[in-house]
Amino acid sequence: MVDRCSVFIRNGTDRPAFTVGKGTESVALIPTGPVGGFARLEASFATRDSAPITITRTGTNGNLQLAGMIAWDSTKPGVEIANFGAYGVTSTYQADMASAWSPATALATYAPHLTVVNLGTNDIAQGQPMATWLANLRTIVQQARPSGSVILTWPAVAGVSPAGGSDSNRSQWRNALRAFAFDNGCLFIDEEAQLGGRAAAQAATAFADSLHETAWAYDVQAAAIVRAIL
């Protein structure tokens, strides 16, 4: 049962107009602004029901490029979650602001009330310098803070895989992240400590492999974030 819909598009005067329809209702939306932008456009419907939502192009300019869509019931409280994660990337990818579609630029456009940042494992594994990682985190936090709060999490790993970094190296990065969080007004959550450290986590079967947790371990980590939100 929904009566609201947010549509994320490539914005700009070179993009075509379109409608968002539901049942017999239709809301016209027109991209505007600089070419190559990114926007969140809203559609409200008088009727709250389970009728499917449709997108229909009506303009003639360029291609209609949809990045995503979220529909909800405006009479009920809820939490909207957007996953900005990308497989195998370092913080440099997430801090990119080269265009309106770049992750850090799009983050500011999305304007979240809370941003959870979980970066570090791939940076270590792919030889990213700590200074670069911290600079990228600063960019991400600066993009997220105007609209809400930021939680910085230190990710857990299992075993002794070199890809996860040595304990001594990871300790330096973890301490740097804790200090960064304090200096930048962010909440810090140590997921590695939550699972008792690398050896304890592996012994407790908290990991499906050397980097990715099993379901119950993810629940443990998520619970700390939920407590921070509530």
Side-chain angles (χ1 to χ4, degrees):
M1 304 290 285
V2 300
D3 61 354
R4 292 287 303 279
C5 181
S6 297
V7 183
F8 299 90
I9 65 164
R10 178 173 182 175
N11 201 23
T13 54
D14 63 329
R15 301 296 104 184
F18 62 100
T19 62
V20 181
K22 184 173 73 67
T24 60
E25 298 182 68
S26 181
V27 178
L29 297 176
I30 302 175
T32 59
V35 172
F38 177 71
R40 172 179 183 157
L41 305 182
E42 306 289 344
S44 298
F45 303 100
T47 303
R48 181 168 54 89
D49 58 22
S50 58
I53 293 176
T54 60
I55 301 289
T56 304
R57 171 180 168 151
T58 59
T60 58
N61 289 340
N63 297 318
L64 175 60
Q65 296 183 338
L66 298 174
M69 185 169 66
I70 300 173
W72 73 95
D73 180 350
S74 64
T75 66
K76 297 180 179 179
V79 177
E80 179 181 307
I81 299 174
N83 183 1
F84 275 64
Y87 173 78
V89 303
T90 68
S91 59
T92 296
Y93 171 90
Q94 295 292 4
D96 182 19
M97 294 179 60
S99 72
W101 287 92
S102 300
T105 312
L107 176 64
T109 301
Y110 185 73
H113 294 134
L114 174 67
T115 301
V116 180
V117 182
N118 186 293
L119 295 169
T121 297
N122 288 340
D123 289 78
I124 293 176
Q126 298 179 36
Q128 183 96 282
M130 182 195 295
T132 301
W133 171 64
L134 291 173
N136 290 336
L137 290 178
R138 187 175 303 279
T139 296
I140 294 167
V141 170
Q142 289 173 342
Q143 290 296 94
R145 283 298 299 273
S147 60
S149 302
V150 177
I151 297 175
L152 299 174
T153 67
W154 175 246
V157 296
V160 293
S161 169
S166 67
D167 285 341
S168 60
N169 186 40
R170 288 180 59 83
S171 179
Q172 293 176 16
W173 282 57
R174 180 176 61 246
N175 292 339
L177 182 62
R178 183 186 294 111
F180 177 91
F182 179 81
D183 291 340
N184 290 272
C186 303
L187 184 65
F188 172 75
I189 294 178
D190 189 341
E191 294 184 347
E192 187 169 305
Q194 284 182 289
L195 298 179
R198 299 174 79 169
Q202 190 173 38
T205 65
F207 281 81
D209 53 34
S210 63
L211 298 176
H212 302 96
E213 293 89 328
T214 53
W216 73 261
Y218 278 126
D219 285 344
V220 169
Q221 295 168 347
I225 296 175
V226 171
R227 287 194 298 271
I229 294 173
L230 300 179

